[in-house]
Amino acid sequence: MVTEPQMTEWWRSAVFYQIYPRSWADSNGDGIGDFDGMTDRLGYLRDVLRVDAVWVSPFYPSPQADFGYDVSDYCDVDPMFGDLAAFDRFLSAAHDLDLKVVVDWVPNHTSNQHPWFSDGDKRDWYVWRNGSELPNNWKSVFGGPAWSRGPDGDAWYLHSFLPEQPDLNWRNPAVESAMFETLEFWLDRGVDGFRIDVAHRCMKDPLLRDNPPAVEPATGYKINPEYAAFEHIHDLAHPDIHGLFRRIRTLVDSYPGDKVLIGEIHEYDWRVWASYYGRDLDELHLPFNFSLLPAGVDPDAIMRAIEGLEAAIPTGAWPNWVLGNHDEPRIATRLGHEQSKAAAVLLLTLRGTPTIYYGDELGFPEAQIGTAAVRDPWGLRMPGFGRDGCRTPMQWDAGPNAGFAPPEAEPWLPVGHHAQSVATQLSRPDSHLNLYRRLLDVRRAAPALMEGSVRLLSQWGRPNPLTFERWFGDDRVVVVANLSEEPVTTDLAGTVLAGTDPHRWDSRLEGSTMLAPWEAVVLS
Ligand code: NOJ
Ligand code: CA
């Protein structure tokens, strides 16, 4: 018999919200978001959207070669975002509002400006190889070889991303203890957990063997073809990663208060993905499940994602779902405006912890950034690959700079259209924001949605409308989503708790109801 997971840990029932700190709220008018701005706006998360936890992307001292994913000091705050006192104010204000705070931890690489990198005594803290030829065929995710010559030109160092982001040598115990101290630093300050950047990349093949060519090279939007041409069996995910995850878990478990470990792991083989929970559920609490990204709004693919996850997830482990983040094109553009509302219904009703990327609750489209305005280093290295379009400023109101920054400020990326502001959307019943708010309220009130089991249902043996049931004890909820351009009939009956069309909220479906294209309903 399958036992229900106990919802004792807060992160199982929580909804997470990702803040990209450059882009959320600028208090001092330099055009870049900061901690004081974030602190001032926390009420939105607590009282308007009503989420439970925030994940804050990196805010540590950094030359900003990859906008903070190049850390030069793990134990401080970049002056651009404030200082440690501003961080502490943010954390305690969040906790006063019952919001948990998870911070990004970037263990795979540091900045090349981190003092460790130029310290001759710490040469073995990074991955160096001598020789005239490139040490192997590994490619940087951001284009070109994963190796560059060091400052004195005599040896190569490994960088899975930019040359400004040298990979740490996690096989050196001194690296592990120094990096564990950085976890302790933030745990001691009171954070509720970590989102671990490219988590399974920390352990590579110790022999640095070549990657074989890809059997079926991945294709698609924003896949670097040079990188996709290989099977990445040696440059990441060496089995030793499990031991490292277990040691990290032991460390965070030594703190009271259910600290959470969320891992950024782009792994689409369900069995491998599930292995990161740990054989005894002693590794990551939530390895990010990115399967909805390639699935788009294809009902077959979404069904396979639900089935794949439910078949693979170990008993007692808890799922999670995500639609977008600061690396992916905005969902309202990737999927379409109406489609992105149906996707929001799925995100907030599937079994597991959802993460909402800031701005998606407002239906932000991908911003079109002219060549001259490109800021993302990936976009500068590989035109067309930039991620600026999903990182534009949060829009609070229809005023100057959308309330993101004082009126005279010049935001670091252009501000979008006022129809996507919080104030405008609150006044429109059919807005993305009001749909998210409704879904969050319904979710919180329904044990079936918070912790219930899931079962796919099929209407007339067809994948569309995608239909699934959630239940817990006597509480039962059915979600029906028409993932197609055509109207479709559903014969299910029930009260509409939430749905993409607000006119239906609280009304009854009595069977044989026509759902509009991309319409989704949550029925009691
Ligand atoms: C994944 C992060 O999400 C991305 O933004 C970053 O560029 C790379 N890791 C490198 O840290
Ligand atoms: Ca600022």
Side-chain angles (χ1 to χ4, degrees), residues 172-444:
N172 181 342
V175 166
E176 182 169 310
S177 53
M179 287 300 286
F180 279 22
E181 280 172 24
T182 72
L183 289 172
E184 285 163 352
F185 179 87
W186 295 102
L187 288 165
D188 290 340
R189 290 198 108 76
V191 302
D192 301 293
F194 300 93
R195 175 267 188 189
I196 308 179
D197 189 62
V198 290
H200 64 340
R201 203 177 265 277
C202 294
M203 283 294 182
K204 295 128 183 147
D205 178 25
L207 303 176
L208 304 180
R209 281 170 290 188
D210 277 355
N211 281 321
V215 184
E216 221 178 302
T219 53
Y221 191 49
K222 300 222 167 159
I223 294 183
N224 165 7
E226 188 190 29
Y227 182 81
F230 293 93
E231 290 299 333
H232 294 276
I233 61 170
H234 290 316
D235 57 347
L236 50 84
H238 186 276
D240 290 343
I241 193 67
H242 295 287
L244 176 59
F245 284 168
R246 281 194 291 273
R247 295 192 294 281
I248 295 173
R249 176 67 174 268
T250 303
L251 189 159
V252 301
D253 279 354
S254 70
Y255 282 75
D258 292 337
K259 308 298 182 190
V260 68
L261 292 176
I262 306 172
E264 187 207 16
I265 292 187
H266 285 274
E267 172 54 67
Y268 299 89
D269 176 318
W270 286 110
R271 281 182 32 188
V272 181
W273 170 79
S275 74
Y276 295 115
Y277 284 99
R279 198 174 308 160
D280 298 315
L281 301 188
D282 52 359
E283 297 185 31
L284 306 179
H285 300 97
L286 300 173
F288 262 136
N289 158 26
F290 290 111
S291 62
L292 283 180
L293 285 150
V297 276
D298 172 357
D300 270 314
I302 296 172
M303 272 174 59
R304 281 198 302 277
I306 298 168
E307 284 167 349
L309 179 143
E310 293 295 334
I313 193 158
T315 303
W318 187 243
N320 75 90
W321 297 92
V322 20
L323 285 176
N325 61 35
H326 62 293
D327 295 326
E328 304 293 339
R330 285 281 182 186
I331 46 173
T333 299
R334 208 170 356 107
L335 306 180
H337 183 86
E338 290 306 313
Q339 293 87 329
S340 69
K341 288 184 173 174
V345 172
L346 302 181
L347 175 70
L348 296 174
T349 58
L350 283 169
R351 187 174 88 93
T353 298
T355 301
I356 301 168
Y357 180 49
Y358 91 93
D360 282 347
E361 82 277 24
L362 302 167
F364 273 18
E366 179 80 355
Q368 296 311 311
I369 308 288
T371 317
V374 171
R375 303 289 303 275
D376 179 18
W378 193 4
L380 294 170
R381 266 166 84 97
M382 299 186 68
F385 283 81
R387 297 161 291 178
D388 298 319
C390 68
R391 297 173 174 181
T392 55
M394 179 64 176
Q395 294 170 219
W396 298 98
D397 55 45
N401 285 329
F404 161 70
E408 63 287 355
E410 210 178 299
W412 77 285
L413 281 174
V415 173
H417 192 269
H418 65 78
Q420 277 99 30
S421 78
V422 172
T424 311
Q425 293 213 359
L426 277 178
S427 65
R428 282 202 351 237
D430 67 341
S431 65
H432 273 76
L433 182 56
N434 279 323
L435 171 63
Y436 270 82
R437 297 174 72 214
R438 178 79 180 200
L439 287 164
L440 285 162
D441 286 350
V442 164
R443 182 187 165 87
R444 213 178 350 263

Side-chain angles (χ1 to χ4, degrees), residues 18 20 55 57-58 66-70 104 106 108-109 141-142 160-162 165 195 197-198 264 266 325-327 376-378 387 391:
Q18 181 192 354
Y20 195 65
W55 147 32
S57 281
D66 188 16
F67 295 131
Y69 284 96
D70 49 320
D104 222 307
V106 189
N108 178 68
H109 45 267
V141 176
F142 289 158
S160 297
F161 295 90
L162 297 172
Q165 295 166 294
R195 175 267 188 189
D197 189 62
V198 290
E264 187 207 16
H266 285 274
N325 61 35
H326 62 293
D327 295 326
D376 179 18
W378 193 4
R387 297 161 291 178
R391 297 173 174 181

Side-chain angles (χ1 to χ4, degrees), residues 62-75:
S62 160
Q64 303 288 316
D66 188 16
F67 295 131
Y69 284 96
D70 49 320
V71 179
S72 55
D73 180 354
Y74 288 93
C75 300

